[in-house]
Amino acid sequence: MHNYKELIALRPVLYLTHQYSAGDSLPVNNPDMVNAWLKAGSAKWKEKKRASLPKSQKAVLVTAQPGQEGITSDGINGSLAGMIPETPERKLTSRRKRK
């Protein structure tokens, strides 16, 4: 578990055209404003506990394969031209050890 501090508004605060209500987390990117809010009693620091982050997972490609769109030799419009198709045979050749 990791602890961190969060700046909480104690009353409504208007900052950079955004209205924060009491209890909202305030931005801490401007130290002068943070000090002004604390001095005026408009905000306070609150200790928060964050659970440990989940283990990273492998990324999954969610978009089309990169390639040049256009008409291919088989005449299908919109398929990827110049791409080597992924076949079971190609996957096997990448695993073979070279002598």
Side-chain angles (χ1 to χ4, degrees):
M1 293 251 245
H2 302 284
N3 294 339
Y4 68 100
K5 290 186 177 184
E6 186 177 25
L7 190 64
I8 303 295
L10 298 176
R11 62 184 72 155
V13 173
L14 177 65
Y15 178 64
L16 295 177
T17 70
H18 188 275
Q19 182 69 45
Y20 296 92
S21 300
D24 289 348
S25 178
L26 293 171
V28 293
N29 60 343
N30 186 338
D32 294 332
M33 288 305 300
V34 170
N35 291 333
W37 290 328
L38 292 170
K39 186 176 179 182
S42 300
K44 70 173 182 176
W45 289 106
K46 184 176 180 182
E47 186 90 14
K48 288 260 190 168
K49 291 185 179 179
R50 177 181 9 201
S52 53
L53 299 173
K55 291 183 179 180
S56 63
Q57 297 178 356
K58 257 189 167 177
V60 177
L61 186 64
V62 293
T63 60
Q65 288 183 339
Q68 181 180 5
E69 291 190 24
I71 298 174
T72 60
S73 60
D74 59 3
I76 300 172
N77 192 9
S79 53
L80 297 174
M83 292 294 298
I84 299 173
E86 289 194 24
T87 62
E89 293 82 13
R90 284 195 53 77
K91 290 182 181 181
L92 286 175
T93 58
S94 65
R95 292 184 197 157
R96 290 184 190 156
K97 292 182 182 179
R98 296 182 181 179
K99 293 181 182 181

